[in-house]
Amino acid sequence: MPRKVILDVDPGVSDALAVCLAIAHPDLEVVAVTATGGNVAPRQASRNVQAIIEHLDPPRWPRIGVADEEQPLRTDGRELWGADGFCGATLGIAELHQQHPALKVIAEEIRNDPGGVTIIAGGPLHNIAAAFQLDPELALQVGHLIIVGGTLEGPGDVTAAAEFNMYCDAESAQRVFRSHATTTLLPLDVTSRAALTYELLSNLPSEGSSLGRLLRTLLPGAFQSYRQRLGLESMYAAEAVAVMSILRPELLVTEAMPVDVETEGMITYGATVIDRRPRTLDRPNMDVAVEIDAPAIVEGIMRGLRAGF
């Protein structure tokens, strides 16, 4: 049976790539794609999620959850992804007459199959924290929560201490970290080892497929932005690494660790703090990826996208 997955994302081209990979893979059943503000404002995130699904037009549509427009955010990703999140690529959509809040969609899908749903949290953790706060038992009913964000040892990418997803809403991140969900953390300085190169552009599905057309629309601008803004001839796709962590868990090495998020520091707000003291009284609350087989993950991403649907 395919594994049920919810992707809670703030698209962003890298998030869009992960949605494409997950929906295209026969071993996964994407039951929902929910929007959270982060790379873009909440309303734009909702629009982008809808655009991805509409343009993919998969045989079975996942449920779509819209972001909370009152979601607090400390920053956004427009410097890298542009105001629309897609580096200027235009994706038209049809307006939905009935919109369902991401919080409601997440809660309903977990309750419908307790222990059977994996959540990939690819953006700030507002939706997950709100769902757990609304129903404290929900955290125990999540089969597996995979959080993209934080750092293991390296610096942050927004501040010297903090990674983007944590910095956007550290309070929500802290609540989720302190929940009882079975959690794996994929830190920035680990997932970035599996960077995607221009080789991806020559290994896409046929232009005659909806997947191929969408990826050809989104990816060139993303590579250009990484080159212009960050000086890189590759792009990071941490959310796609998260999808691969479900499909090929043997490609990651994880360690159980006590992890928390700083919410009060003037210069450390949003920092992920891992207690490595040999005599710590803190119990591990999640598995943290410390090593990945980067070449195998990159090959897996490209092979998964080539297969299409």
Side-chain angles (χ1 to χ4, degrees):
M1 292 289 291
R3 188 166 178 177
K4 292 182 179 180
V5 177
I6 296 171
L7 292 108
D8 187 58
V9 291
D10 58 336
V13 177
S14 62
D15 299 83
L17 185 68
V19 173
C20 291
L21 178 63
I23 289 180
H25 206 286
D27 291 340
L28 299 178
E29 178 188 351
V30 180
V31 296
V33 182
T34 54
T36 179
N39 283 318
V40 290
R43 179 173 293 188
Q44 185 68 45
S46 300
R47 188 188 189 283
N48 288 359
V49 164
Q50 184 185 341
I52 294 165
I53 303 305
E54 280 194 11
H55 284 263
L56 281 179
D57 192 22
R60 180 176 179 177
W61 278 41
R63 296 181 67 188
I64 294 174
V66 299
D68 173 8
E69 294 192 15
E70 301 302 316
Q71 175 183 354
L73 293 168
R74 281 207 167 202
T75 189
D76 60 39
R78 72 180 61 203
E79 182 178 354
L80 182 61
W81 302 117
D84 64 353
F86 288 157
C87 301
T90 302
L91 296 179
I93 61 170
E95 292 299 327
L96 292 177
H97 295 295
Q98 189 173 15
Q99 297 187 334
H100 301 283
L103 164 64
K104 180 181 178 183
V105 171
I106 291 170
E108 287 179 350
E109 291 300 328
I110 293 171
R111 292 192 196 106
N112 287 341
D113 189 4
V117 179
T118 295
I119 301 176
I120 293 177
L125 294 169
H126 175 79
N127 290 336
I128 313 297
F132 289 176
Q133 187 172 17
L134 184 66
D135 181 358
E137 296 298 314
L138 208 61
L140 295 171
Q141 297 177 341
V142 175
H144 193 182
L145 172 61
I146 300 173
I147 298 174
V148 176
T151 60
L152 178 66
E153 295 175 341
D157 57 350
V158 175
T159 70
E163 178 273 336
F164 178 85
N165 286 343
M166 302 298 110
Y167 181 82
C168 276
D169 186 356
E171 289 76 15
S172 289
Q174 186 182 81
R175 288 196 294 272
V176 174
F177 278 37
R178 293 180 179 183
S179 75
H180 295 294
T182 300
T183 303
T184 297
L185 182 71
L186 303 183
L188 167 70
D189 47 333
V190 176
T191 58
S192 60
R193 299 170 195 170
L196 300 174
T197 67
Y198 291 102
E199 182 184 359
L200 176 62
L201 297 178
S202 58
N203 284 273
L204 296 177
S206 163
E207 211 169 343
S209 69
S210 57
L211 177 58
R213 289 191 297 273
L214 178 60
L215 292 174
R216 283 174 170 80
T217 300
L218 294 177
L219 289 174
F223 278 108
Q224 182 179 17
S225 182
Y226 264 85
R227 184 174 64 249
Q228 292 177 343
R229 304 295 183 187
L230 302 178
L232 298 175
E233 298 297 326
S234 58
M235 67 173 286
Y236 300 144
E239 297 82 7
V241 175
V243 174
M244 288 303 301
S245 76
I246 301 173
L247 296 167
R248 299 282 305 280
E250 73 277 7
L251 299 181
L252 291 84
V253 177
T254 63
E255 294 181 12
M257 297 180 178
V259 190
D260 209 338
V261 180
E262 175 60 58
T263 60
E264 297 180 8
M266 181 179 297
I267 59 175
T268 57
Y269 178 89
T272 42
V273 180
I274 301 174
D275 192 344
R276 293 186 172 91
R277 292 176 296 173
R279 295 181 179 273
T280 180
L281 298 178
D282 292 336
R283 299 180 62 184
N285 58 334
M286 64 182 66
D287 292 327
V288 180
V290 296
E291 296 285 348
I292 60 172
D293 185 339
I297 286 176
V298 170
E299 173 56 29
I301 292 170
M302 292 199 295
R303 187 169 56 248
L305 292 173
R306 278 198 305 269
F309 55 80

